[in-house]
Amino acid sequence: MEIGSGLMRALALLALLSLIPALHAQAASADPAGSVASAKAWAAAVAIGLSALGAGYALAKTGAAASAATAERPEVAGRLLIYLVLGEGLAIYGLLIAILIIFAVK
């Protein structure tokens, strides 16, 4: 089994699990305030979770390539750190989106 196919299966499972809050919101129409809060919490969790998975994958690939390049040419080590920071930015963007989802104005 390749890593890519396992990753795709995990992402497909997370996409299916992200539908649960919408179904829960439809079923719990008696308490609309609670269902909206629950849907916001799930949406924020999915946003930060998927962005963290993406950032981890990016950092794993970039870190391995950066360490291999540094072993061959030590003078490029400082420039390669920029690529690691760019990968970490994905998680920060997901955190910002999660904060926007939670504190969104109705």
Side-chain angles (χ1 to χ4, degrees), residues 4-75:
S5 65
L7 179 65
M8 292 303 290
R9 286 182 184 169
L11 290 177
L13 179 64
L14 284 173
L16 288 175
L17 289 177
S18 68
L19 296 175
I20 292 174
L23 297 174
H24 177 68
Q26 289 177 354
S29 61
D31 184 19
S35 64
V36 170
S38 175
K40 281 185 175 183
W42 275 98
V46 168
I48 192 67
L50 289 178
S51 66
L53 280 174
Y57 184 76
L59 288 174
K61 295 294 183 178
T62 309
S67 63
T70 303
E72 291 180 11
R73 294 181 50 201
E75 64 272 7

Side-chain angles (χ1 to χ4, degrees), residues 39-101:
K40 281 185 175 183
W42 275 98
V46 168
I48 192 67
L50 289 178
S51 66
L53 280 174
Y57 184 76
L59 288 174
K61 295 294 183 178
T62 309
S67 63
T70 303
E72 291 180 11
R73 294 181 50 201
E75 64 272 7
V76 298
R79 284 185 274 164
L80 295 176
L81 289 177
I82 294 170
Y83 296 111
L84 292 171
V85 171
L86 289 174
E88 187 62 33
L90 292 173
I92 294 171
Y93 294 144
L95 178 64
L96 290 175
I97 295 299
I99 290 171
L100 286 173
I101 289 171

